[in-house]
Amino acid sequence: MSHFETILLERKGRVGVITLNRPKALNALNAQLMGEVVAAVVDLEREPEIGAILITGSERAFAAGADIKEMAPKSYMDMYLDDWFAAWDRLASARKPTIAAVAGYALGGGCELAMLCDIILAADNAKFGQPEIKLGVIPGIGGSQRLTRAVGKAKAMDLCLTGRNMDAEEAERAGLVSRIVPAADLLTEAMATATTIAEMSLPIAMMAKESVNRSFETTLAEGVRFERRVFHSTFATADQKEGMAAFVDKRAPKFTNS
Ligand code: CAA
């Protein structure tokens, strides 16, 4: 178990599980929680036996947004000088695969936290939205950018300008979430997905993640060139030799992360 106060951190096999744990505030993301999630991610990134990171909340709320009560009295200078929310960039730059298992509310910063992860699995009761406009602010953890890339301009504008929620089905249709599962099965399914990924070769999974992410940052031609170079580099690994030998021998591969 963990020494954290606003999250639980567990290692389950090769999966690091971060559970947001401020139930009375529907897991609102205050500065302490942000610091603890980031510290947990830094720890898990350092641990060679961890191959994937799962972030989840409760059945009622993944996270109902940044902590409004904490932010309400702040001035422009408070926000600017502290570079409020910038610490979340560390999650965006995690090199190991990250999965968000979302049940209940994923609003504002909660939706943005899910979008900082590589894959979003949604329970059938999940609700996504960027309601900041109703508070007189706009998204501040990348929502206007990542939501637009995930679901396109029309729906991102609709959500950011009206502040309405979108249910799990709409989120799946729009391409925000990879799969919907019954709420009761969310953690089991998410653990199964995380374990599948964590049992692959870690360096190869990291290269796959880096290559997909590159598509958000560059042109198609440059992205394809980047992918090809990384693909070539997989042939410098023992895991490429093992993966292909195992296929030829009709057996399961034993990856050594080397
Ligand atoms: N910040 C602080 N506290 C929050 C919170 C938040 N984002 N969301 C919920 N809470 C608190 C409530 O204040 C309440 O606390 P008290 O019991 O002390 O009053 C407790 O959690 C339970 O919430 P509700 O009683 O409101 O529960 P509900 O079931 O009636 O409603 C809800 C649930 C629709 C999610 C509602 O809580 C809500 O609208 N929350 C705010 C959603 C929001 O606006 N999120 C965006 C925040 S701004 C942001 O995220 C900026 C950014 O881009 C990073």
Side-chain angles (χ1 to χ4, degrees):
M1 295 304 285
S2 65
H3 56 281
F4 299 116
E5 290 174 354
T6 63
I7 65 169
L8 304 174
L9 173 59
E10 298 162 278
R11 282 117 180 134
K12 295 186 176 174
R14 293 184 48 77
V15 180
V17 182
I18 298 172
T19 305
L20 309 182
N21 190 28
R22 297 187 69 211
K24 287 186 187 142
L26 301 185
N27 292 333
L29 311 172
N30 63 5
Q32 182 181 0
L33 183 145
M34 174 174 68
E36 292 186 355
V37 170
V38 168
V41 168
V42 168
D43 283 353
L44 295 170
E45 288 251 89
R46 272 200 218 105
E47 295 171 20
E49 59 280 8
I50 294 296
I53 298 171
L54 177 61
I55 301 183
T56 194
S58 69
E59 189 160 338
R60 187 167 168 218
F62 177 71
D67 192 312
I68 300 168
K69 293 168 188 166
E70 181 182 56
M71 289 185 294
K74 291 198 179 290
S75 69
Y76 167 67
M77 267 315 144
D78 294 333
M79 300 306 257
Y80 178 75
L81 290 175
D82 281 350
D83 206 1
W84 203 253
F85 295 147
W88 286 117
D89 293 346
R90 180 62 187 82
L91 179 54
S93 64
R95 297 177 74 210
K96 292 181 179 176
T98 54
I99 297 160
V102 175
Y105 295 109
L107 303 180
C111 186
E112 293 170 298
L113 171 54
M115 291 190 293
L116 282 165
C117 297
D118 301 323
I119 299 174
I120 304 178
L121 286 188
D124 50 12
N125 73 340
K127 287 190 171 47
F128 298 87
Q130 297 293 158
E132 289 88 346
I133 196 163
K134 296 197 260 182
L135 301 165
V137 293
I138 70 167
I141 314 176
S144 66
Q145 306 303 300
R146 292 196 179 87
L147 187 66
T148 308
R149 282 166 169 76
V151 306
K153 174 181 163 181
K155 205 173 276 287
M157 284 287 190
D158 178 4
L159 292 165
C160 290
L161 292 177
T162 67
R164 77 173 175 87
N165 293 347
M166 139 169 109
D167 65 18
E169 295 227 336
E170 185 179 355
E172 187 189 31
R173 276 199 309 277
L176 180 65
V177 311
S178 71
R179 254 183 302 140
I180 303 176
V181 298
D185 301 338
L186 178 67
L187 274 186
T188 311
E189 288 289 329
M191 271 305 296
T193 302
T195 301
T196 298
I197 294 169
E199 284 171 356
M200 304 295 175
S201 160
L202 176 60
I204 303 298
M206 289 164 63
M207 290 180 201
K209 166 173 174 163
E210 189 180 5
S211 297
V212 173
N213 277 338
R214 184 55 72 103
S215 71
F216 290 102
E217 308 290 347
T218 191
T219 62
L220 179 61
E222 282 304 321
V224 169
R225 203 189 317 271
F226 178 85
E227 179 201 76
R228 193 170 304 127
R229 291 290 173 257
V230 176
F231 170 73
H232 293 159
S233 76
T234 63
F235 286 74
T237 67
D239 286 339
Q240 173 269 327
K241 297 286 170 287
E242 167 62 10
M244 292 194 177
F247 176 82
V248 173
D249 297 347
K250 301 186 188 299
R251 60 175 174 81
K254 285 202 188 84
F255 293 125
T256 53
N257 297 336
S258 58

